[in-house]
Amino acid sequence: MLESIPFLWRDRKRVCGLPLTFTRYALSEDRLFLETGLLHTRLEELLLYRVRDISLRVSLGQRLFRVGSVLVISSDKSTPELELRNIRRPFEVKELLHRQVEEMKIARRLRVGELLAGQEAEEEEED
């Protein structure tokens, strides 16, 4: 489904360190993708300039299999949280994602104040 887009990083969710699932993750220059399913596939897409926070989680079990999870928090309404579960080299992926997020925010000339103002406006609309 995503073959035509040039990617900076791609991986699959792993079980015991092996890519045995039908969950795929990909990072392009401006978007983060989550594709799930074999027969009935679903594709989630997150614009990088909307990312507000990135965190890394590595449990003892994940450490044994050399994998970890990266949690991405965004201001996106359809995907406010996106977790890249059981991926290889999670620290490197987190840093790559951080650099791309910063580049996209600079490219779109977004400032923290603009992001917060947009979030406050959304909250007022909900009230």
Side-chain angles (χ1 to χ4, degrees):
M1 200 179 245
L2 299 173
E3 288 76 28
S4 64
I5 301 170
F7 292 110
L8 304 173
W9 169 81
R10 292 179 81 147
D11 200 0
R12 291 182 119 158
K13 180 179 174 184
R14 294 169 182 275
V15 176
C16 298
L18 300 172
L20 302 175
T21 66
F22 296 103
T23 301
R24 295 181 203 100
Y25 307 111
L27 175 67
S28 73
E29 190 174 292
D30 61 344
R31 293 174 287 175
L32 181 61
F33 298 93
L34 164 65
E35 183 180 9
T36 57
L38 173 63
L39 300 177
H40 176 77
T41 59
R42 188 184 85 193
L43 180 64
E44 292 287 333
E45 179 179 312
L46 178 66
L47 295 170
L48 294 181
Y49 77 89
R50 291 187 170 166
V51 172
R52 292 188 313 171
D53 190 35
I54 306 168
S55 61
L56 177 67
R57 298 177 183 169
V58 182
S59 69
L60 177 60
Q62 288 176 318
R63 207 175 308 166
L64 292 173
F65 292 107
R66 296 183 172 165
V67 295
S69 297
V70 176
L71 179 63
V72 179
I73 308 290
S74 76
S75 60
D76 190 87
K77 287 187 179 188
S78 65
T79 314
E81 289 187 6
L82 181 65
E83 186 172 10
L84 309 175
R85 295 183 186 176
N86 298 336
I87 58 172
R88 289 182 301 174
R89 300 186 304 273
F91 182 77
E92 293 173 24
V93 172
K94 178 187 169 289
E95 291 303 310
L96 175 62
L97 187 55
H98 173 73
R99 284 192 302 272
Q100 282 306 117
V101 165
E102 292 304 312
E103 282 184 25
M104 286 300 99
K105 286 181 180 181
I106 290 169
R108 287 186 167 259
R109 295 185 174 109
L110 288 177
R111 294 186 304 261
V112 175
E114 291 173 340
L115 289 174
L116 293 176
Q119 185 179 8
E120 289 170 1
E122 289 174 2
E123 290 173 358
E124 287 176 8
E125 288 175 5
E126 292 174 0
D127 292 339

